[in-house]
Every structure is written in C-alpha cells, then in structure tokens.
C-alpha cells in the first residue's frame, strides 16, 4: 500500500470535519469495502491534494484505495486547485466559502504568468459562485482582517 503525506499547510485550507462527520465517513467507507473516489496527489510526490480525510481512515481500516496524480506547476497552483474544488462542493459553511472565494481572488491576481486584474478576478469569482461582486469584495475585506490575527 502506498504511503502518502498530508501536508499541514494544505490541510489548513480545508474545514475540519466534526466527529460525527468523520464517523459517518468511516461508516460509509467500511460499508463500501474500499475508498470509491481516488486519493489525488501532486504528481511526482506523495502529497495528498484531495482525500486528506479518506486516506487516514483507509489506512486505519485496511481499505483499498486508488491514487491519481495530477500535475501542478508549483505549490500556489496546488492551493488554488484545492480551494476551487472545495468551492465546487457542497461542504463548507458560509464563513468557509467566503474565505475560499477571497483566496481564489488573491491567487488569481498573484500568478506572475497568468495573473489577472483584481476587478476581473472579483467578477469571475462572483459569477462562478453565484454571488455578487460586492459579496466577493466583502469576502476579501474580512479575509484581510482575519489574516492579521494570531491563529
């Protein structure tokens, strides 16, 4: 069985599951007899990009799983991928979704070779997430303040 790594910085992008949610995930995986969705890793590494909750359960329970590798140019692109995929799922409360939207705008404006203007990034994130541009601007403001606070 392949040994994979959970990177703490990447894991911090996700919302923590409650004990009940983790227990339900465990029950589902055991009932299925294996992990149905592949664990996604950064190509050429053993760093998990998607499946950070499924993987430890699979190891603990001795469940089979598959690994799929995706290529990323750098760590910033890995983070962007994780955030965008979290936004595309139904998990995450309103605060988490606000945080992720702000992070997508920030990432979109930082990429040297593919960066876009902040206003364009705000428009795109608002459209993709069915919220107003004002909401995304508010997300950015809250995220900016919160990022200055100690953990």
């Amino acid at each position: 069985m392949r040994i994979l790594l959970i990177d703490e910085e990447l894991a911090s992008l996700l919302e923590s599951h409650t004990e009940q949610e983790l227990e339900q995930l465990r029950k589902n995986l055991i009932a299925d007899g294996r992990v149905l969705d592949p664990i996604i890793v950064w190509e050429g590494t053993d760093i998990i990009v998607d499946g950070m909750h499924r993987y430890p359960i699979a190891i603990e329970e001795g469940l089979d799983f598959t690994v799929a590798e995706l290529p990323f140019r750098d760590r910033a692109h890995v983070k962007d991928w994780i955030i965008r995929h979290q936004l595309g799922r139904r998990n995450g409360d309103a605060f988490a979704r606000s945080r992720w939207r702000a992070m997508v705008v920030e990432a979109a404006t930082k990429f040297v070779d593919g960066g876009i203007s902040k206003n364009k990034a705000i428009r795109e994130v608002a459209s993709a997430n069915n919220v107003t541009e004002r909401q995304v601007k508010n997300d950015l403001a809250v995220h900016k303040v919160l990022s200055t606070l100690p953990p």
Side-chain angles (χ1 to χ4, degrees):
M1 194 170 286
R2 185 170 175 183
I3 304 299
L4 304 177
L5 305 171
I6 297 175
D7 181 286
E8 291 302 318
E9 181 187 17
L10 299 179
S12 74
L13 299 173
L14 306 174
E15 291 301 298
S16 299
H17 283 6
T18 65
E19 289 299 320
Q20 289 174 321
E21 290 168 333
L22 286 173
E23 188 55 34
Q24 186 61 56
L25 178 58
R26 180 181 303 279
K27 287 178 183 177
N28 292 348
L29 295 176
I30 291 170
D32 292 338
R34 63 187 175 93
V35 179
L36 298 177
D37 296 320
I39 308 295
I40 309 295
V41 299
W42 184 353
E43 187 176 66
T45 76
D46 290 319
I47 298 172
I48 298 174
V49 176
D50 185 59
M52 294 176 207
H53 294 104
R54 287 174 276 138
Y55 175 72
I57 295 170
I59 295 299
E60 290 169 14
E61 299 296 337
L63 299 171
D64 289 334
F65 60 89
T66 58
V67 175
E69 296 192 13
L70 291 179
F72 296 99
R73 288 189 307 215
D74 55 30
R75 194 169 188 81
H77 284 99
V78 172
K79 289 174 166 181
D80 187 57
W81 187 93
I82 290 170
I83 294 164
R84 288 178 186 273
H85 275 75
Q86 289 303 306
L87 277 168
R89 295 176 174 162
R90 287 184 228 161
N91 59 336
D93 59 18
F95 179 76
R97 298 182 80 67
S98 170
R99 177 176 161 237
W100 292 330
R101 286 189 299 263
M103 293 171 82
V104 169
V105 170
E106 288 176 350
T109 59
K110 285 182 183 175
F111 293 137
V112 175
D113 60 339
I116 60 175
S117 75
K118 190 172 191 176
N119 287 334
K120 183 175 180 183
I122 289 169
R123 279 193 304 275
E124 288 180 2
V125 168
S127 176
N129 290 277
N130 201 29
V131 296
T132 64
E133 290 179 34
R134 167 73 13 226
Q135 177 63 57
V136 177
K137 289 176 184 176
N138 289 341
D139 297 338
L140 284 164
V142 169
H143 183 65
K144 182 177 180 180
V145 170
L146 292 177
S147 65
T148 65
L149 300 175

